[in-house]
Amino acid sequence: MLASTSRCVRLQSAIVQQRQRALHDLVTSVNKPYIAYGPPGRSANTGHVATVFGCTGFLGRYLVAKLAKSGTQVIVPYREEDSKRHLKVMGDLGQIVPMEWDLHRDDQIEECLRHSDIVYNLVGREYETKNFNYDAVNAKGAQRIASVAAQAGVGQFVHVSHLNASHDSPSAFYRSKALSEDLVREAFPAATIVRPSIQYGYEDRLLNNMAIWAIWWKLNHAKTKIRPVHVLDVAQALANVVSMSSLPGTFNLPGPSTLSFKYLLELVSTVTYNPPSVAPVVPKRVALVLAKAAQKVWWPALSPDEVVRRYIDDVDLPGDWDKFGVTPDEIEDHAISYLRRYRSADNYSRPVVFPPSREPSESYNVA
């Protein structure tokens, strides 16, 4: 009798504790019940399940890490076996679930997202290959994933575009990103479309390339202006969408400052203690010829469309960081972390002396 009474008391206590939970701990945006439990952090369970298409890319690995660290179970679709190995250790046992997929297979896409309440599409191609062009990956691929997600009843769909996405852009890459936004909205009207600018980090194609191939950043006499943003800031903004019931619309995520290639090359030279590049400025016509020739030798080399993008300034639009609860960092605050590897042994521990103050025309505060 006493044992039965004790069990009833414990059961009533558990019911009271469950009733004290917040609403977002009990239901998702599509009213699927779930319960968060465990201590905060890696070993917790938020009850959310997220699928991150494009998880093996630059931004994807950081988004997976942030989702898994918060206790969200993450489905990581992959194409090659070795491309997802580094993601497995980002979460506790059972939190990272790898699944093989093909962009052309609706059944495999559906299998990857059927249990998820939020789906991220980070799939993108900055250069074309013989198997995938810009429209096939950036536009039609995004449409396919969004359509399958809508049919499967997924509550939230987050699509990553680009700050410079435009139908009138001279760059085929930017045009494909603009087309992808239209197709995603058509397939998933409540989608969250995020437009980050060029990102920097450990594996980026900005600071690392400037340290190695400075000549290609001298195109347009290094006058092109961009708004670089920290990849961790973008990943955090995307991860914060999980806790939001719905966030339809298009949101710009540029860096806090507009900087010229000239300034960034000077920053790289100052941080690495390597002398500035003395390579001549390559005319656009010559650069396009060299880029086209390089595609026949080694396709990850600078593509013709990337040459075109070297002449396009980032658009001047205010950021929507406040919608995601994130404040972006300046590139100078993190440059040493990503560029120290390019220092010589003698200069490895030397302090950083930043370049002269930016000119007013090269920098402004987005806020």
Side-chain angles (χ1 to χ4, degrees):
M1 183 67 178
L2 291 177
S4 177
T5 303
S6 177
R7 284 195 297 270
C8 290
V9 170
R10 290 197 300 269
L11 179 60
Q12 292 176 355
S13 176
I15 293 175
V16 170
Q17 290 179 2
Q18 182 168 333
R19 288 176 179 173
Q20 291 176 345
R21 292 181 182 273
L23 181 61
H24 66 272
D25 286 334
L26 298 177
V27 295
T28 68
S29 58
V30 290
N31 297 321
K32 293 181 180 179
Y34 72 90
I35 298 178
Y37 61 87
R42 179 185 176 94
S43 297
N45 191 326
T46 63
H48 289 285
V49 180
T51 300
V52 182
F53 291 98
C55 57
T56 57
F58 177 41
L59 174 60
R61 66 185 64 196
Y62 294 101
L63 175 58
V64 170
K66 288 188 176 295
L67 291 173
K69 185 178 180 180
S70 67
T72 297
Q73 187 178 46
V74 188
I75 312 300
V76 290
Y78 67 93
R79 293 176 58 204
E80 299 178 4
E81 181 67 27
D82 290 341
S83 65
K84 49 79 178 175
R85 295 178 64 184
H86 61 285
L87 302 175
K88 191 68 175 178
V89 297
M90 292 182 177
D92 209 344
L93 184 64
Q95 277 190 308
I96 306 296
V97 183
M99 299 186 68
E100 190 172 5
W101 79 300
D102 190 307
L103 185 61
H104 299 113
R105 295 279 300 274
D106 286 0
D107 58 331
Q108 292 185 355
I109 295 174
E110 195 274 337
E111 186 178 6
C112 290
L113 56 77
R114 66 174 59 170
H115 300 294
S116 300
D117 51 87
I118 184 169
V119 172
Y120 294 90
N121 176 40
L122 278 59
V123 177
R125 177 69 71 184
E126 290 191 350
Y127 51 87
E128 293 183 316
T129 66
K130 63 181 181 180
N131 295 321
F132 294 98
N133 57 30
Y134 291 126
D135 286 342
V137 178
N138 298 340
K140 295 179 182 178
Q143 180 188 34
R144 184 185 297 271
I145 297 173
S147 298
V148 175
Q151 295 171 8
V154 173
Q156 291 177 285
F157 185 83
V158 182
H159 172 64
V160 177
S161 182
H162 194 281
L163 183 66
N164 293 335
S166 172
H167 292 290
D168 301 324
S169 176
S171 166
F173 172 77
Y174 291 151
R175 293 197 301 270
S176 69
K177 283 296 186 179
L179 178 60
S180 74
E181 296 179 8
D182 296 339
L183 296 178
V184 166
R185 289 193 197 96
E186 181 181 346
F188 203 110
T192 301
I193 298 176
V194 178
R195 288 175 157 187
S197 53
I198 187 169
Q199 301 166 59
Y200 61 89
Y202 277 111
E203 307 87 1
D204 68 12
R205 301 185 68 192
L206 178 64
L207 295 178
N208 286 292
N209 278 14
M210 283 187 169
I212 302 174
W213 300 103
I215 184 175
W216 296 121
W217 298 92
K218 287 188 171 185
L219 296 174
N220 196 24
H221 296 276
K223 295 179 180 179
T224 304
K225 296 178 181 180
I226 61 173
R227 305 170 69 180
V229 62
H230 197 192
V231 65
L232 290 177
D233 291 334
V234 179
Q236 187 63 62
L238 296 178
N240 290 348
V241 179
V242 173
S243 60
M244 304 175 186
S245 59
S246 179
L247 191 65
T250 302
F251 305 92
N252 300 312
L253 298 182
S257 299
T258 297
L259 306 171
S260 67
F261 286 162
K262 179 180 179 181
Y263 174 82
L264 291 173
L265 287 170
E266 186 178 359
L267 173 65
V268 171
S269 177
T270 303
V271 173
T272 60
Y273 284 101
N274 294 327
S277 172
V278 295
V281 177
V282 180
K284 183 177 182 179
R285 194 177 308 173
V286 176
L288 286 171
V289 172
L290 293 175
K292 291 178 181 179
Q295 301 304 294
K296 299 179 180 180
V297 180
W298 188 43
W299 47 261
L302 187 71
S303 68
D305 193 76
E306 287 180 287
V307 173
V308 174
R309 277 176 262 158
R310 293 286 197 272
Y311 289 79
I312 302 176
D313 293 339
D314 281 355
V315 297
D316 183 7
L317 293 173
D320 298 309
W321 292 98
D322 57 319
K323 302 291 194 306
F324 302 90
V326 176
T327 301
D329 294 334
E330 296 285 359
I331 192 171
E332 291 91 345
D333 297 335
H334 301 280
I336 182 63
S337 300
Y338 309 132
L339 293 173
R340 188 186 294 272
R341 73 185 81 175
Y342 299 106
R343 288 184 172 188
S344 64
D346 294 336
N347 296 326
Y348 195 81
S349 300
R350 289 181 64 180
V352 180
V353 180
F354 285 115
S357 299
R358 306 170 185 167
E359 298 178 5
S361 61
E362 290 188 338
S363 171
Y364 65 89
N365 196 322
V366 174

